[in-house]
Amino acid sequence: MSEGILTACSLEKLADMIETGIIKALAKQEKPKPERLYTRAEAARLMGKQLNTIKNMIQAGRIKATTDGKYISQAAIDEYLNLTK
């Protein structure tokens, strides 16, 4: 019985239906927003700290920054602020 169903629909049409379904599913997926990065000076203003304090916090590992230490993500600022509450 299942053979009758498969032969009624060509393999090419079946492949097209699957491809269309996959494309629609992928289009519906939410695309992640790129994370906002702040310079050390911007982060200092947001956090109410001095620039040197931010630099020292990065060096001490108290706040996460990019590998070059020049940028701080919104998530890192939020994490720090939540830990210091």
Side-chain angles (χ1 to χ4, degrees):
M1 177 143 189
S2 63
E3 288 179 14
I5 293 172
L6 288 177
T7 56
C9 178
S10 73
L11 289 177
E12 186 176 311
K13 181 160 174 93
L14 182 60
D16 286 343
M17 291 170 28
I18 291 170
E19 183 180 0
T20 301
I22 291 171
I23 290 170
K24 285 181 182 178
L26 290 174
K28 288 182 182 179
Q29 287 183 343
E30 190 174 312
K31 294 174 180 68
K33 293 180 182 178
E35 178 136 36
R36 171 72 161 99
L37 294 177
Y38 296 96
T39 64
R40 292 176 295 197
E42 290 172 328
R45 280 193 297 278
L46 285 170
M47 298 169 68
K49 307 274 185 197
Q50 295 293 318
L51 178 57
N52 283 336
T53 302
I54 297 296
K55 290 178 183 179
N56 293 337
M57 290 168 58
I58 292 168
Q59 288 176 345
R62 292 177 44 211
I63 190 165
K64 296 175 187 172
T66 55
T67 54
D68 62 4
K70 293 183 179 182
Y71 299 95
I72 302 170
S73 70
Q74 181 66 56
I77 293 171
D78 293 343
E79 181 181 329
Y80 175 80
L81 294 175
N82 286 333
L83 290 174
T84 58
K85 282 185 180 179

